[in-house]
Amino acid sequence: MSEVYPVPAETAKNALIDNDKYNAWYERSVKDPDGFWGEHGKRIDWIKPYTKVKNVSYSGDVSIKWFEDGTLNVSANCLDRHLAKRRDQTAIIWEGDDPNESAHITYGDLHERVCRLANAMTDLGVKKGDRVTIYLPMIPEAAVAMLACARVGAVHSIVFGGFSPDALAGRIQDCDSSLLITADEGLRGGRKVPLKVNADKALETCWSCKSVIVVKRTGGDVHMVTGRDHWYHDIVAKASPTHTPVEMSAEDPLFLLYTSGSTGKPKGVVHTTGGYLVYASMTHQYVFDYHEGEVYWCTADVGWVTGHSYIVYGPLANGAITLMFEGIPNYPTVSRFWDVVDKHKVNIFYTAPTAIRSLMREGEEPVKKTSRKSLRLLGSVGEPINPEAWTWYHRVVGDNRCPIVDTWWQTETGGILITPLPGATALKPGSATRPFFGVKPVMVDAEGKTLEGATEGNLCLAEPGWPGQMRTLWGDHDRFIQSYFATYKGMYFTGDGARRDEDGYYWITGRVDDVINVSGHRMGTAEVESALVAHPKVAEAAVVGYPHDIKGQGIYAYVTLIQGEEPSEDLRKELVNWVRKEIGPIASPDLIQWSPGLPKTRSGKIMRRILRKIAENDFGSLGDTSTLADPTVVDDLIDSRMNRG
Ligand code: WT7
């Protein structure tokens, strides 16, 4: 039995949703989805109101539509509709990498900046439906760029600033972006990130991309290509400060976001305007129990879905004050998060378990010497939070006062799906607890049999579903069906394993497919493998995840060299750097094991199950190895794993 943390009296008193309301709303959301979402869809402004609510089928060709005959503009919902009341209220608090740099941007300012960029983009020929790739650091211009795209009806695709030129190029090519918005350099932990240099390299192979807008962040020296490259500050200065938002259908795409799958190249997850905004704003309000005037801080990067839904779209649609942080948790000191909390009087703080674990290692003093009095609620996202990190977060950061919302969701889901609601849910450390409205978790075994009651299995989601769900994969609806709806008929398969306890609480146990979760970032094993085998000295590679104290999972690579090449420490470093260069630092292998051979079936399939066990140092339960073409390979691998200690 795990410890239970009841809803604190103080939280219960002011919370938007208590347990009775949760139960009643949840019941209605799954029994009468049209009625429920028909009502909640009105939380945003529609140009033409919808008359249809839900039109969803998880079978056959899979079609997901919400509010399909309604029209709206997402940027107008995040900006224009707030102006009467909030023109002078802060929308974004920006905290720079350098603690001496910060800014407050009001809804009025933000609106003007977005209008100017929308006009400048239009002048560059960007039209409704065009794709725009954004490769920016965590500066206000990132939010401005997203909203300007939404305003003109262009589909943005943000590529995390830590990705390599190759990774950026692949993502520009896949969706044929005609515009790239980047910066001279990024700044993280006092170090510069050569964004424009990377972008120039990427664009050598991207024929679709005709224009580049460059934000001056550091003032570093960069090369500007005449006719293609434009300084952001020049073009917005010339542009008009007013702009009429383009009317969009609820099912027009708002953005693409590439994420790793278990096979092949990254998938372009497509989110549309209406349902996504309803869901992002509703979850932001209720999961974080957001009250007027509160300062809310999500530490994610806008390069990931968390930044989309819970730094920009959800909070701004709600007229909230959202903090955007350019830096990292340990610069200039390991107290940075808590210094920022005190500096800006943050009430709600949302971060990732990996950050908690790395700060935990530094002891309590760097936390305890700060006040954190403003904090009211804490959140966690990205990977399972181990109970030890959870209780530390609760006790040390939250002074035993602040509930923690452990929010489970995915790039594909658009918003939070399984989570406590602060005023409704008693907490258990390590459990994401219960489903949000409209979400119907189903546990299935490997054969697809539905499991009832307290059980463990693969986590699927059944209809009716929620309006924020992805609609397709960019340019590949078949892959969409195959990846998510083919494994278990009529249901969305999440790729996660989970346990459901006697109280109906869900405990996410991690991916059951070939996706690794490194510090809350998804990496496909296939992507790292293809980067490794692209190295001239590598014959073959197999990559698996293994438990890592800070990152949750680390990347473990088995590498077979070509005939005549000898393993060496230098080559190990070379391969690590190679993968960093091919994909980006987040894909760097933590451990490389030289393996003269890999365990394969007689038909040549690599048996990853065995490689995972060896990487986990769990040699006792390798299971059946009799189907291997050469079982001695396994003994060799175990020997060399053990010899490395
Ligand atoms: C995968 C999705 C959701 C935004 C950030 C990651 C894992 C996410 C939790 C959580 C346990 C979690 C799952 C999921 N995950 N949140 N609270 N508890 N696991 O988005 O890159 O699409 O990754 O992250 O394995 O499938 P993503």
Side-chain angles (χ1 to χ4, degrees):
M1 273 299 278
S2 61
E3 213 178 330
V4 178
Y5 292 64
V7 176
E10 191 60 27
T11 307
K13 206 166 70 199
N14 299 314
L16 299 170
I17 298 196
D18 64 16
N19 199 41
D20 290 344
K21 197 159 171 183
Y22 167 78
N23 285 325
W25 282 27
Y26 182 77
E27 175 101 348
R28 175 153 185 241
S29 73
V30 291
K31 291 209 170 122
D32 173 23
D34 281 296
F36 181 84
W37 292 107
E39 241 166 64
H40 289 283
K42 294 185 189 137
R43 60 180 294 117
I44 63 169
D45 280 1
W46 296 83
I47 298 171
K48 180 167 143 289
Y50 49 85
T51 63
K52 294 185 197 158
V53 177
K54 170 182 166 278
N55 183 2
V56 171
S57 165
Y58 286 181
S59 303
D61 282 344
V62 183
S63 166
I64 301 168
K65 292 182 180 151
W66 289 84
F67 314 110
E68 61 188 289
D69 61 347
T71 66
L72 74 160
N73 182 281
V74 166
S75 144
N77 268 284
C78 292
L79 301 168
D80 306 53
R81 70 164 173 157
H82 301 314
L83 291 182
K85 191 170 158 201
R86 306 182 193 278
R87 185 177 287 275
D88 298 323
Q89 181 207 296
T90 299
I92 297 177
I93 300 177
W94 178 71
E95 170 76 14
D97 186 54
D98 176 339
N100 299 313
E101 243 188 314
S102 56
H104 282 70
I105 298 163
T106 65
Y107 273 93
D109 292 341
L110 189 60
H111 175 260
E112 182 182 327
R113 293 197 198 193
V114 169
C115 287
R116 285 182 183 275
L117 183 59
N119 286 319
M121 281 168 48
T122 306
D123 289 346
L124 289 173
V126 175
K127 297 179 307 295
K128 177 171 173 171
D130 290 353
R131 274 76 59 209
V132 172
T133 296
I134 300 175
Y135 185 60
L136 282 173
M138 285 291 287
I139 52 178
E141 287 79 358
V144 173
M146 294 164 78
L147 292 164
C149 287
R151 200 162 183 94
V152 303
V155 183
H156 62 69
S157 161
I158 307 192
V159 177
F160 174 59
F163 276 121
S164 68
D166 271 3
L168 172 62
R171 287 156 172 79
I172 292 174
Q173 289 159 4
D174 186 75
C175 67
D176 297 310
S177 293
S178 57
L179 171 68
L180 173 67
I181 305 180
T182 187
D184 50 0
E185 294 171 312
L187 207 51
R188 285 185 89 231
R191 289 218 291 253
K192 289 177 176 163
V193 186
L195 295 175
K196 179 62 164 65
V197 169
N198 290 351
D200 286 339
K201 220 176 279 168
L203 290 180
E204 285 169 12
T205 59
C206 299
W207 316 123
S208 62
C209 189
K210 300 281 184 283
S211 321
V212 181
I213 298 177
V214 186
V215 179
K216 191 174 262 188
R217 167 64 189 108
T218 64
D221 200 18
V222 292
H223 176 63
M224 297 291 279
V225 177
T226 314
R228 186 194 72 178
D229 299 354
H230 310 269
W231 284 111
Y232 178 97
H233 56 266
D234 283 344
I235 57 172
V236 297
K238 285 183 218 135
S240 154
T242 60
H243 176 275
T244 309
V246 171
E247 181 171 357
M248 304 291 286
S249 149
E251 285 302 336
D252 282 335
L254 173 65
F255 67 83
L256 307 178
L257 188 54
Y258 287 89
T259 190
S260 297
S262 48
T263 56
K265 52 179 192 155
K267 308 187 271 200
V269 167
V270 177
H271 285 288
T272 57
T273 63
Y276 171 80
L277 197 66
V278 167
Y279 198 73
S281 67
M282 184 163 167
T283 45
H284 172 261
Q285 182 183 7
Y286 294 129
V287 173
F288 300 106
D289 191 43
Y290 185 82
H291 287 68
E292 181 83 28
E294 287 191 308
V295 177
Y296 158 88
W297 180 17
C298 164
T299 69
D301 189 288
V302 292
W304 312 110
V305 74
T306 312
H308 287 62
S309 301
Y310 299 114
I311 295 177
V312 178
Y313 289 119
L316 295 180
N318 290 338
I321 305 171
T322 180
L323 194 150
M324 188 175 191
F325 178 44
E326 185 182 29
I328 55 174
N330 55 1
Y331 177 82
T333 74
V334 291
S335 292
R336 184 68 190 275
F337 271 178
W338 327 121
D339 287 340
V340 175
V341 165
D342 287 349
K343 176 174 173 186
H344 298 293
K345 304 279 174 291
V346 172
N347 306 111
I348 303 163
F349 177 77
Y350 187 33
T351 196
T354 187
I356 298 301
R357 286 192 299 263
S358 70
L359 294 175
M360 204 169 131
R361 208 173 44 170
E362 308 289 339
E364 299 183 14
E365 198 268 342
V367 190
K368 287 299 179 197
K369 72 177 193 203
T370 63
S371 155
R372 288 159 291 106
K373 209 172 69 215
S374 57
L375 284 179
R376 182 174 77 69
L377 180 68
L378 304 173
S380 171
V381 61
E383 48 171 322
I385 181 162
N386 45 312
E388 196 194 355
W390 194 103
T391 45
W392 188 86
Y393 195 22
H394 189 265
R395 177 175 61 80
V396 181
V397 176
D399 287 327
N400 290 316
R401 280 184 299 113
C402 308
I404 299 176
V405 287
D406 174 3
T407 63
W408 173 85
W409 58 298
Q410 309 178 300
T411 304
E412 292 89 338
T413 70
I416 295 165
L417 296 196
I418 302 184
T419 179
L421 298 183
T425 317
L427 308 173
K428 298 184 193 181
S431 172
T433 76
R434 304 185 293 188
F436 195 76
F437 310 122
V439 178
K440 217 166 154 181
V442 180
M443 303 283 281
V444 293
D445 67 12
E447 281 72 50
K449 193 164 84 56
T450 299
L451 306 166
E452 305 295 339
T455 185
E456 191 158 354
N458 292 340
L459 180 63
C460 291
L461 303 164
E463 287 189 45
W466 66 103
Q469 186 173 18
M470 82 166 136
R471 303 302 197 251
T472 188
L473 290 174
W474 184 258
D476 204 346
H477 196 68
D478 272 349
R479 189 178 179 199
F480 171 69
I481 300 171
Q482 288 311 317
S483 307
Y484 302 103
F485 297 93
T487 319
Y488 302 109
K489 289 274 171 272
M491 283 188 277
Y492 169 85
F493 176 43
T494 64
D496 279 324
R499 183 163 71 78
R500 183 170 53 210
D501 72 14
E502 58 289 348
D503 296 322
Y505 276 36
Y506 291 86
W507 303 70
I508 310 298
T509 48
R511 303 289 305 196
V512 294
D513 54 8
D514 291 320
V515 169
I516 326 182
N517 192 323
V518 188
S519 301
H521 301 315
R522 245 159 96 166
M523 221 41 254
T525 50
E527 281 171 78
V528 185
E529 286 164 7
S530 51
L532 282 166
V533 295
H535 189 282
K537 293 178 185 165
V538 174
E540 206 170 23
V543 168
V544 296
Y546 75 105
H548 186 288
D549 283 351
I550 303 292
K551 300 181 181 182
Q553 276 190 301
I555 298 181
Y556 197 109
Y558 295 87
V559 171
T560 310
L561 296 172
I562 58 165
Q563 281 290 327
E565 288 298 336
E566 287 300 317
S568 69
E569 207 36 52
D570 281 348
L571 183 53
R572 192 193 303 277
K573 283 193 195 121
E574 189 178 318
L575 292 183
V576 171
N577 282 330
W578 174 268
V579 176
R580 290 173 75 92
K581 185 181 79 47
E582 291 277 304
I583 305 175
I586 54 166
S588 309
D590 295 281
L591 287 167
I592 291 183
Q593 177 167 350
W594 307 114
S595 47
L598 292 169
K600 291 185 189 162
T601 59
R602 285 184 199 100
S603 59
K605 198 171 169 295
I606 295 173
M607 292 189 77
R608 289 162 186 288
R609 177 176 51 81
I610 291 175
L611 294 177
R612 255 182 243 126
K613 294 284 180 199
I614 297 174
E616 285 164 15
N617 265 324
D618 181 6
F619 310 130
S621 54
L622 291 182
D624 185 11
T625 54
S626 64
T627 55
L628 287 175
D630 176 8
T632 62
V633 167
V634 173
D635 299 328
D636 291 346
L637 287 178
I638 292 175
D639 278 351
S640 58
R641 172 80 169 125
M642 301 231 268
N643 291 338
R644 287 164 19 82

